[in-house]
């Protein structure tokens, strides 16, 4: 930046209107109606602003673990999508339209969420931006979110995407599913769709989150546009109390950080990166000293650090 010392991440983030070309574009989804539909706690609509506050005041541009500088990255922020319409379907139409536009404009889009039903339309936006090509991806989550219901709730996005043909089952993976949070019907549906499943217990048997994400991306994203959706309720509530559906069991922050870095660094054999990365279900109303918001920001920063590692100028 014209010779200026760029020490903090906030110095790199600029409004999208000022940065029409960038390596990464942030966008917020202030959405929680889908979680309320599922009987969950309202409040995730406040997540985008809470994550931005932590991104701007906490994180620096140098990562000591990987010896990587971010200061050459261009990071745009498209603000929050206007989701104040009383019609839930209209809000989802807006999400799909905005994500299609951003995915056409930028090589990578990072979503700050927001209830997980938003993924139903972020992935459809990626699908539209890529010319109607079925996408591949990974859901890191305590829950599979494949319920077969007509409404658009936080428990339905991947079921809808699979049933409607936007997402190919053999190019999709569920990572981090908890012991008693998946029904037998859900498991059978995932088998029928040929979805790859990595249970929470498997992550804790010697292989890190980074290992699973890297291996699965090689399978689901080699020839398809790809996304990684990270539901922060996959992290144990001791580390992440401010979520819509907390659980005492879960993955660790280190698993989450390593997985996000692996997703940012990944490039397929066709030189395609992960096009869409999401952090969803942060609920600031139930957070403790901004602990969960800071974790969400740290996970996003890890993804961005992986992006920096993948670009030639940082090698």
């Amino acid at each position: 930046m014209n010779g200026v010392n760029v020490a903090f991440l906030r110095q790199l983030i600029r409004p999208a209107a000022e940065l029409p070309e960038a390596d990464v574009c942030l966008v917020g989804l202030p959405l929680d109606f889908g979680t309320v539909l599922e009987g969950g706690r309202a409040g995730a609509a406040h997540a985008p602003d809470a994550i931005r506050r932590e991104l701007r005041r906490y994180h620096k541009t140098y990562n000591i673990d990987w010896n990587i500088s971010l200061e050459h990255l261009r990071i745009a922020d498209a603000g929050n999508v206007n989701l104040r319409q009383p019609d839930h379907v209209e809000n989802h139409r807006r999400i799909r339209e905005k994500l299609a536009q951003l995915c056409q404009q930028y090589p990578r889009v990072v979503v700050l969420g927001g209830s997980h039903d938003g993924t139903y339309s972020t992935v459809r936006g990626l699908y539209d931006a890529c010319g109607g090509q079925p996408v591949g991806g990974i859901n890191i989550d305590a829950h599979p979110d494949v319920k077969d219901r007509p409404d658009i709730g936080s428990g339905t996005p991947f079921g809808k995407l699979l049933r409607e043909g936007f997402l190919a089952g053999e190019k999709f993976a569920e990572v981090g599913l908890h012991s008693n949070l998946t029904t037998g019907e859900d498991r059978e549906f995932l088998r029928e769709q040929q979805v790859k499943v990595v249970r929470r217990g498997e992550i804790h048997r010697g292989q890190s989150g980074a290992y699973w994400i890297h291996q699965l991306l090689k399978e689901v994203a080699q020839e398809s546009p790809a996304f990684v959706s990270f539901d922060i309720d996959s992290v144990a509530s001791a580390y992440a109390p401010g979520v819509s559906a907390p659980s005492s069991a879960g993955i660790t922050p280190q698993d989450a950080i390593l997985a996000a870095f692996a997703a940012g660094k990944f490039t397929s054999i066709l030189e395609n990166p992960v096009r869409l990365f999401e952090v969803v279900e942060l609920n600031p109303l139930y957070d403790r000293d901004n602990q969960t918001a800071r974790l969400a920001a740290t996970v996003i920063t890890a993804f961005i650090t992986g992006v920096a590692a993948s670009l030639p100028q940082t090698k």
Side-chain angles (χ1 to χ4, degrees), residues 27 34 44 194 215 272:
V27 64
Q194 303 179 58
Q215 293 300 315
N272 293 322

Side-chain angles (χ1 to χ4, degrees), residues 106-119:
Y106 297 100
R108 304 166 190 84
V109 175
V110 174
V111 171
L112 319 179
S115 54
H116 213 167
D117 60 290
T119 301

Side-chain angles (χ1 to χ4, degrees), residues 6-7 9 12 59-73 257-258 260-262 264-266 301-315:
V6 183
L9 192 61
L12 297 179
H59 293 83
K60 297 185 179 179
T61 57
Y62 174 71
N63 185 288
I64 194 170
D65 289 330
W66 291 295
N67 189 27
I68 294 170
S69 172
L70 310 184
E71 62 184 25
H72 299 295
L73 286 181
I257 291 164
L258 291 174
F261 177 78
K265 189 177 180 181
F266 178 81
T301 303
F303 175 79
I304 294 172
T305 304
V307 171
S310 75
L311 298 178
Q313 65 263 33
T314 61
K315 291 182 179 178

Side-chain angles (χ1 to χ4, degrees), residues 159-294:
K160 286 184 177 296
L161 290 166
L162 288 162
R163 292 180 179 97
E164 295 175 11
F166 295 102
L167 178 60
E170 67 274 13
K171 294 182 179 295
F172 179 54
E174 298 263 20
V175 177
L177 300 185
H178 288 199
S179 303
N180 288 88
L181 300 180
T182 301
T183 68
E185 291 81 3
D186 291 342
R187 187 68 182 96
E188 185 56 34
F189 173 73
L190 294 172
R191 284 197 189 99
E192 291 173 356
Q193 294 288 324
Q194 303 179 58
V195 173
K196 300 165 183 67
V197 174
V198 178
R199 295 174 287 107
R200 177 191 60 82
E202 294 178 80
I203 296 174
H204 290 166
R205 290 175 186 162
Q207 302 291 358
S208 71
Y211 169 83
W212 289 112
I213 297 306
H214 180 73
Q215 293 300 315
L216 291 169
L217 281 172
K218 288 196 297 184
E219 297 181 42
V220 305
Q222 290 296 9
E223 298 180 358
S224 301
F227 69 90
V228 173
S229 184
F230 176 73
D231 189 326
I232 203 163
D233 73 19
S234 62
V235 178
S237 58
Y239 305 110
V243 299
S244 300
S247 177
S248 57
I251 65 174
T252 68
Q254 184 69 356
D255 284 323
I257 291 164
L258 291 174
F261 177 78
K265 189 177 180 181
F266 178 81
T267 303
S268 74
I269 56 174
L270 300 180
E271 298 186 351
N272 293 322
V274 169
R275 297 292 315 281
L276 172 66
F277 183 80
E278 307 180 319
V279 174
V280 300
E281 294 293 2
L282 168 66
N283 191 325
L285 299 187
Y286 294 89
D287 209 355
R288 180 174 58 228
D289 193 26
N290 301 316
Q291 177 181 350
T292 317
R294 186 164 295 170

Side-chain angles (χ1 to χ4, degrees), residues 104-173:
Q104 285 178 327
Q105 184 174 355
Y106 297 100
R108 304 166 190 84
V109 175
V110 174
V111 171
L112 319 179
S115 54
H116 213 167
D117 60 290
T119 301
Y120 173 57
S121 294
T122 61
V123 170
R124 290 190 300 159
L126 176 61
Y127 172 92
D128 294 341
C130 296
Q133 178 184 358
V135 303
I138 297 174
N139 177 37
I140 306 172
D141 201 337
H143 317 84
D145 292 346
V146 293
K147 293 179 182 177
D148 188 6
R149 286 173 26 182
D151 55 23
I152 309 173
S154 61
T156 68
F158 300 107
K160 286 184 177 296
L161 290 166
L162 288 162
R163 292 180 179 97
E164 295 175 11
F166 295 102
L167 178 60
E170 67 274 13
K171 294 182 179 295
F172 179 54

